[in-house]
């Protein structure tokens, strides 16, 4: 048996995986990981939310639970409560029975299913040439998911103004005006990753107006609801506004961060359709897609979320837990800015507290980033993105001083 | 755990899950005691955190899953030619395997198939970009037995480099398997025709009562030095259905390819589900890495398999006594959790295929009588 000779190319290493590996191998006692993608307590430990621990125990003890396969589209009570969280209790669209959910493997899974559906059915039968717009910059996996689903024309839309360290609204609106009709726009519902800059409600209104006029499709990525500001309503404002304006849209929800359930891969693709008939047809096509990837989704995480969201007591407890995380992040932002300003670090640092969510685009250059990792054992993405959760009251002085050094001595 | 229900108004024979002797009143399967105990331990373990699993899965799980499939002293493992990847169920393993074949297998020729497959996973291959999917015959209709002759004939006629999906255990689509002698012939054809085996291994341990025996076809091909993939499911063997525990095994000819394939796999996983879910994998790893748990689990699959054999014998005997038309020898010739009854319409089972383990001492008579009635009542 002669194996065919093959040259298998090494795939481009995933940057964030490499960062984690480099950090792990570093033996310095001062090392800080600002590239971690998960919440950390002030002791730099992962945090299982108390409400989650409680619910997980309830689940194990409940003999009445069916441990067989979930339905293809997922746990019904999870799907409905997840969509309700995104769109609000009083959502007219839900009342009109034109909202559906597909339980997926995390936010990535929800994006995947949504992308696969759109490529097949969005506008006509073959959407491989339909432009998909992602923000510049964006979470690097957006490109991968849409490309893998078969979209051949993935383009950036202007978003981050590096000079002003703010939203490039004019650029964004300009790209919306010039995009071909029926293009798909992937937008971050809140806590933009990696910049942390979100449009204000007024700015969202302007964005929605152009999208409506030009028949553009909103595909929201909502990975931080509640985690960003501490308020579920506030963090869902953009999605709810678009729904109120009559848009059909997708919203890929992740419960990894706001439930701390990174490992159980809990996500939901919320679908807002024109009417119930369309919704039914969309869901039936989604089923076919799901069957060729994971067949039916994992039950554990969905059960935890469903039980929590559907019980007033557990829901209140969860909101408190989420606020704990959001508040810690806000505290670290305030402290980092204050320390940099106190040190007289060159440049302006207001953006640290103007940005929201887990990540901050510091504005550090690649050379400065390299300096930090090589000389100071502080690891962050080459883009200058830091995860605020990597900061603690114990390491924040060291980090502030190191950033000061890097900015003062390196271009 | 649960009450014995002696009055069945319905029997869920199309229930997919493996049932123990005692069932729940609603007809659903109970969680095996060992699994339930481990889940309790996990839910109260303060050292376990909820961070993302690595993209290719929990290392302790993939190591044990590989060991379960290939055995402790597998040469391919020692020579570092084996890669194990945790996936979202068996479907996830097939999907990932299909995508990797598309980007790696015979890359220089732009190979896109054919893939020979007797099972319902063909849609997965097509969705992964391998549209040339073909059936091969694997059983004798009317005799409800595996047909070695048909299999070999079809595979001998397959073009070189074709991928062939093979069921290592008696699961799909026919609840019957080939003998070791038959497998040796098959492996010989695979070698001679340069065909690439893609094994499906579901319910390992439940067919012959012994995980090693059930894995024999896979291990035989590996021992011959063949390059192959294997999609493993842990649903039936561990009673972990909703948890979606799967594993994709890659056995390569050269370990120089391993790192490159690993990076391709990471890239593929990133766009599919990013990381797998951990609970089920944690449970399996806990079973397989602890000698006491492992012994209890082995005993569990052995007795489940034995129970299947007993049920088949009793059912066959009851049907014979009732005078149900037809020959029912195939009930005891088939192995595994399911049996094909040959019934073409049946309100309690899909396609005439029923879950043997859902039959117990309480409902056995009812089931036999119902089958007899279905066959003898005028339509």
């Amino acid at each position: 048996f002669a194996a065919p000779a093959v040259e298998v190319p090494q795939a481009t290493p995933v940057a964030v995986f490499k960062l984690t590996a480099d950090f792990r191998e570093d033996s310095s006692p001062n090392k800080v990981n600002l590239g971690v993608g998960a919440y950390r307590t002030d002791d730099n430990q992962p945090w299982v939310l108390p409400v989650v621990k409680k619910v997980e125990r309830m689940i194990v003890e409940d003999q009445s639970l069916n441990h067989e396969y979930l339905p293809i589209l997922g746990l019904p009570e999870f799907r409905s409560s997840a969509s309700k969280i995104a769109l609000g209790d009083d959502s007219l669209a839900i009342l009109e029975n034109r909202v559906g959910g597909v339980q997926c493997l995390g936010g990535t899974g929800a994006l995947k299913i949504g992308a696969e559906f759109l490529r097949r059915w969005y506008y006509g039968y073959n959407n491989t040439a339909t432009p998909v717009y992602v923000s510049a910059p964006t979470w690097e996996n957006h490109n991968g998911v849409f490309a893998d689903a078969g979209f051949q024309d993935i383009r950036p839309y202007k978003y981050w103004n590096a000079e002003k360290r703010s939203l490039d609204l004019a650029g964004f609106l300009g790209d919306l005006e010039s995009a071909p009709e029926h293009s798909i726009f992937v937008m971050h519902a809140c806590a933009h990753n990696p910049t942390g800059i979100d449009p204000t409600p007024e700015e969202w209104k302007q964005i929605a107006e152009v999208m409506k006029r030009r028949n553009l499709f909103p595909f929201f990525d909502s990975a931080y609801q509640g985690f960003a500001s501490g308020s579920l309503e506030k963090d869902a404002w953009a999605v709810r506004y678009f729904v109120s304006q009559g848009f059909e849209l997708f919203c890929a929800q992740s419960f990894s961060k706001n439930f701390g359930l990174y490992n159980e891969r809990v996500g939901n693709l919320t679908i807002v359709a024109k009417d119930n008939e369309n919704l039914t047809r969309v869901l039936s096509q989604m089923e076919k897609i799901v069957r060729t990837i994971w067949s039916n989704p994992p039950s554990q995480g969905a059960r935890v979320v469903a039980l929590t969201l559907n019980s007033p007591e557990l829901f209140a407890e969860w909101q408190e837990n989420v606020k704990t995380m959001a508040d810690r992040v806000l505290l670290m932002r305030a402290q980092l800015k204050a320390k940099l300003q106190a040190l007289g670090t060159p440049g302006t640092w207001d953006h640290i507290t103007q940005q929201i969510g887990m990540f901050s685009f510091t504005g550090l250059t690649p050379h400065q980033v390299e300096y930090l990792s090589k000389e100071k054992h502080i690891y962050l993405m080459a883009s200058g993105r830091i995860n605020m959760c990597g900061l603690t009251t114990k390491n924040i002085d060291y980090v502030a001083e190191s950033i000061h050094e890097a900015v003062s001595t390196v271009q | 755990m649960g009450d014995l229900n002696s009055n069945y108004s319905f029997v869920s024979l199309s229930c997919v899950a493996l049932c123990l002797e005692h069932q729940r009143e609603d007809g659903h399967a109970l969680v095996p005691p060992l699994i339930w105990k481990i889940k309790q331990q996990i839910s109260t373990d303060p050292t376990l955190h909820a961070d993302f699993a690595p993209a290719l899965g929990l290392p302790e799980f993939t190591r044990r899953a590989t060991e379960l499939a290939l055995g402790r002293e597998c040469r391919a493992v020692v020579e570092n030619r084996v890669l194990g990847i945790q996936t979202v169920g068996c479907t996830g393993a097939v999907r990932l395997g299909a995508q990797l074949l598309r980007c790696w297998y015979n890359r220089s020729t732009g190979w896109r198939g054919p893939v020979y497959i007797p099972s319902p996973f063909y849609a997965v291959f097509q969705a992964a970009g391998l549209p040339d999917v073909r059936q091969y015959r694997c059983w004798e209709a009317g005799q409800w037995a595996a047909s070695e002759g048909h299999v070999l004939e079809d595979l001998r006629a397959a073009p070189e480099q074709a991928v062939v999906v093979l069921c290592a255990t008696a699961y799909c689509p026919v609840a019957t398997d080939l003998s070791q002698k038959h497998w040796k012939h098959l492996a010989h054809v695979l070698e001679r025709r340069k065909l690439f085996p893609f094994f499906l291994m579901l319910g390992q341990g439940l067919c012959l009562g012994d995980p090693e025996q059930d894995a024999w076809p896979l291990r035989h091909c590996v021992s011959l030095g063949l390059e192959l993939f294997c999609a493993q499911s842990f649903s039936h063997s561990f009673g972990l259905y909703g948890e979606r525990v799967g594993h994709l095994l890659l056995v390569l000819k050269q370990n120089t390819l391993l790192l490159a394939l690993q990076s391709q796999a990471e890239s593929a996983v990133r766009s599919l589900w990013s990381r797998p879910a951990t609970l089920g994998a944690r449970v399996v790893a806990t079973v397989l890495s602890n000698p006491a748990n492992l012994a209890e689990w082995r005993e569990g699959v052995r007795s489940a398999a034995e129970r299947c054999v007993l049920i088949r014998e009793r059912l066959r005997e009851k049907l014979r006594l009732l005078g149900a038309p037809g020959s029912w020898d195939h009930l005891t010739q088939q192995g595994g959790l399911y049996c094909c009854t040959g019934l073409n319409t049946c309100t309690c089972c899909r396609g005439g295929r029923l879950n043997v383990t859902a039959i117990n001492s309480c409902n056995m008579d009812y089931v036999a009588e119902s089958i007899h009635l279905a066959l003898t009542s005028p339509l």
Side-chain angles (χ1 to χ4, degrees):
Chain A
F1 185 83
V6 263
E7 271 303 317
V8 188
Q10 196 98 356
T12 333
V14 182
V16 70
F17 294 170
K18 183 168 190 311
L19 192 87
T20 313
D22 288 346
F23 172 80
R24 225 198 327 265
E25 281 165 25
D26 190 327
S27 54
S28 162
N30 294 327
K31 66 179 180 177
V32 181
N33 189 356
L34 296 181
V36 64
Y39 178 78
R40 291 284 178 266
T41 63
D42 197 54
D43 293 316
N44 217 350
Q45 295 300 308
W47 193 51
V48 177
L49 274 60
V51 73
V52 168
K53 247 199 282 257
K54 183 189 286 186
V55 175
E56 281 178 343
R57 273 200 282 268
M58 277 165 55
I59 288 173
V60 167
E61 300 302 333
D62 186 350
Q63 306 273 5
S64 72
L65 287 178
N66 178 353
H67 75 294
E68 295 168 30
Y69 296 123
L70 285 183
I72 298 167
L73 297 181
L75 192 68
E77 54 266 39
F78 166 77
R79 295 161 58 202
S80 57
S81 59
S83 292
K84 212 161 82 158
I85 268 284
L87 303 186
D89 280 339
D90 51 0
S91 166
L92 213 63
I94 293 181
L95 272 168
E96 290 168 0
N97 218 354
R98 51 190 188 88
V99 172
V102 178
Q103 182 191 337
C104 297
L105 279 270
T108 303
L111 287 164
K112 171 67 171 178
I113 301 301
E116 290 281 346
F117 174 88
L118 289 173
R119 192 258 297 159
R120 287 166 176 74
W121 300 108
Y122 165 51
Y123 192 66
Y125 293 117
N126 180 4
N127 290 273
T128 51
T130 303
V132 174
Y133 283 79
V134 299
S135 65
T138 192
W139 182 48
E140 78 278 0
N141 205 17
H142 279 152
N143 276 282
V145 170
F146 281 88
D148 221 68
F151 285 99
Q152 289 161 357
D153 186 358
I154 301 171
R155 313 176 182 184
Y157 61 86
K158 295 186 193 62
Y159 193 85
W160 167 249
N161 182 329
E163 213 186 291
K164 298 213 174 84
R165 292 180 184 173
S166 66
L167 176 71
D168 179 3
L169 182 67
F172 190 172
L173 293 173
D175 282 344
L176 287 169
E177 292 283 5
S178 63
E181 279 207 357
H182 305 292
S183 296
I184 296 163
F185 270 74
V186 180
M187 299 183 292
H188 302 230
C190 71
H192 184 269
N193 177 0
T195 68
I197 288 285
D198 289 340
T200 63
E202 279 317 305
E203 289 168 340
W204 275 120
K205 284 180 178 169
Q206 293 180 59
I207 293 164
E209 190 271 322
V210 182
M211 289 188 74
K212 192 133 203 225
R213 200 174 6 95
R214 311 226 57 259
N215 290 313
L216 304 171
F217 184 86
F219 195 147
F220 280 101
D221 183 348
S222 176
Y224 301 99
Q225 189 183 2
F227 190 97
S229 69
S231 155
L232 293 166
E233 288 74 27
K234 197 149 175 255
D235 291 345
W237 190 89
V239 180
R240 295 178 187 188
Y241 177 73
F242 272 71
V243 173
S244 76
Q245 295 301 295
F247 279 92
E248 281 188 298
L249 57 81
F250 283 176
C251 180
Q253 300 167 265
S254 166
F255 293 90
S256 295
K257 319 289 194 295
N258 58 16
F259 265 84
L261 279 170
Y262 306 92
N263 60 336
E264 297 302 351
R265 313 306 294 124
V266 209
N268 189 54
L269 178 68
T270 285
I271 301 151
V272 181
K274 190 166 32 214
D275 53 41
N276 182 264
E277 202 208 317
N278 267 290
L279 176 70
T280 312
R281 283 196 256 125
V282 168
L283 288 176
S284 76
Q285 291 301 336
M286 297 262 177
E287 263 193 12
K288 285 168 80 168
I289 294 168
V290 167
R291 291 194 67 158
T292 64
I293 307 181
W294 55 66
S295 207
N296 46 81
S299 52
Q300 176 72 357
R303 286 222 159 94
V304 173
V305 173
L307 280 166
T308 307
L309 295 183
N310 286 318
S311 143
E313 262 174 42
L314 294 171
F315 182 75
E317 198 180 329
W318 172 60
Q319 282 186 295
E320 267 175 44
N321 290 169
V322 173
K323 194 158 184 313
T324 301
M325 294 191 285
D327 284 348
R328 187 173 114 63
V329 169
L330 289 168
L331 181 67
M332 290 297 100
R333 285 185 180 281
Q335 286 194 353
L336 182 62
K337 178 176 103 165
K339 285 181 194 295
L340 289 173
Q341 284 176 340
L343 285 166
T345 310
T348 57
W349 301 99
D350 292 328
H351 57 286
I352 302 271
T353 48
Q354 279 161 1
Q355 290 162 0
I356 195 169
M358 198 183 260
F359 300 111
S360 174
F361 236 29
T362 54
L364 292 168
T365 66
H367 286 297
Q368 290 165 347
V369 170
E370 208 187 325
Y371 177 88
L372 284 171
S373 70
K374 291 215 159 56
E375 306 300 326
K376 311 301 282 185
H377 311 279
I378 295 174
Y379 293 83
L380 58 151
M381 303 295 282
S383 60
R385 185 193 87 168
I386 63 172
N387 182 350
M388 301 307 297
C389 300
L391 291 172
T392 69
T393 50
K394 293 149 194 89
N395 67 23
I396 194 160
D397 285 321
Y398 176 67
V399 172
E401 281 153 18
S402 305
I403 292 178
H404 179 80
E405 232 179 84
V407 172
S408 309
T409 59
V410 181
Q411 287 307 308
Chain B
M1 284 167 63
D3 294 331
L4 256 183
N5 188 346
S6 53
N7 269 328
Y8 279 90
S9 56
F10 74 93
V11 181
S12 181
L13 295 176
S14 63
C15 162
V16 170
L18 180 143
C19 305
L20 308 172
E21 176 61 22
H22 305 310
Q23 259 174 288
R24 287 164 29 163
E25 281 185 21
D26 60 5
H28 287 296
L30 289 165
V31 180
L34 171 66
I35 302 304
W36 185 71
K37 185 175 72 184
I38 292 173
K39 279 184 175 178
Q40 276 189 312
Q41 283 170 10
I42 288 174
S43 75
T44 52
D45 185 343
T47 66
L48 288 176
H49 59 70
D51 269 2
F52 285 123
L56 301 189
L58 297 176
E60 190 52 32
F61 167 76
T62 57
R63 199 180 120 216
R64 299 293 176 181
T66 300
E67 202 176 85
L68 185 66
L70 300 182
R72 280 245 166 101
E73 285 131 20
C74 176
R75 189 167 51 110
V77 174
V78 168
E79 291 170 3
N80 201 14
R81 302 187 276 117
V82 175
L83 180 60
I85 303 169
Q86 182 186 342
T87 60
V88 185
C90 192
T91 301
V94 176
R95 174 58 182 251
L96 181 60
Q99 284 193 204
L100 288 177
L101 283 173
R102 191 180 184 280
C103 77
W104 158 70
Y105 186 58
N106 290 326
R107 196 165 179 270
S108 50
T109 64
W111 181 91
R112 288 290 176 263
V115 178
Y116 282 78
I117 182 164
S119 93
F121 284 117
Y122 69 87
V124 179
F125 280 90
Q126 290 176 326
L130 296 173
D132 186 0
V133 171
R134 306 179 193 181
Q135 296 258 317
Y136 65 86
R137 298 167 298 163
C138 57
W139 71 334
E140 295 281 359
Q143 286 180 28
W144 310 110
S147 163
E148 186 211 3
H150 285 160
V151 177
L152 295 182
E153 201 179 303
D154 288 355
L155 293 187
R156 278 190 195 110
E160 290 194 353
Q161 316 297 348
V163 166
V164 182
V165 177
L166 299 159
C167 294
T169 53
Y171 173 71
C172 56
V174 187
T176 179
D177 43 7
L178 302 170
S179 66
Q180 280 190 11
K181 192 179 87 173
H182 291 163
W183 274 111
K184 282 182 177 163
H185 290 161
L186 217 172
H188 187 56
V189 172
L190 294 172
E191 250 185 320
R192 256 200 11 249
R193 299 289 307 147
K194 299 190 173 63
L195 304 172
F196 188 99
F198 195 143
F199 277 98
L200 303 179
M201 190 148 70
L202 296 89
Q204 185 185 358
L206 290 171
C207 301
L208 299 171
D210 176 2
E212 273 69 48
Q213 290 229 32
D214 279 352
W216 190 88
L218 170 69
R219 295 182 187 190
H220 177 66
C221 287
V222 171
S223 72
L224 292 177
L226 298 186
E227 207 161 40
L228 54 83
F229 286 1
C230 177
Q232 297 165 257
S233 162
F234 294 82
S235 299
H236 300 289
S237 316
F238 288 80
L240 291 168
Y241 296 91
E243 288 78 6
R244 312 303 292 122
V245 206
H247 189 252
L248 176 67
L249 198 62
L250 287 70
V251 180
L252 307 172
K253 283 202 75 83
Q254 300 145 325
N255 78 341
T256 48
L257 287 172
L258 205 70
L259 280 177
L261 259 183
Q262 187 172 314
S263 81
Q264 290 289 346
E266 273 174 1
S267 177
V269 165
R270 190 95 167 117
S271 298
L272 285 170
W273 52 71
S274 200
R275 328 279 188 128
T278 57
L279 180 61
R282 275 181 173 157
V283 173
V284 172
T286 307
V287 171
L288 298 179
S289 61
N290 173 300
N293 288 340
L294 185 58
E296 191 177 337
W297 174 72
R298 278 178 178 277
E299 177 51 32
V301 297
R302 192 203 59 77
S303 73
E306 202 176 74
R307 187 171 161 262
C308 282
V309 169
L310 265 161
I311 293 171
R312 288 170 182 278
E313 279 172 8
R314 286 198 194 135
L315 183 62
R316 186 185 77 156
E317 189 55 20
K318 286 210 186 286
L319 288 169
R320 188 185 71 79
L321 288 171
L322 284 169
S327 154
W328 295 96
D329 289 340
H330 63 277
L331 278 182
T332 49
Q333 281 161 1
Q334 292 172 359
L337 307 177
Y338 301 97
C339 70
C340 295
T341 58
L343 295 170
N344 50 20
T345 49
C346 178
T347 52
C348 59
C349 50
R350 264 191 305 261
R353 188 185 81 154
L354 53 86
N355 179 347
V356 168
T357 67
I359 303 173
N360 56 37
S361 51
C362 296
N363 62 27
M364 167 79 73
D365 286 337
Y366 179 73
V367 170
E369 282 156 18
S370 303
I371 292 175
H372 175 68
L373 209 65
L375 289 172
T376 53
S377 300
L379 281 166

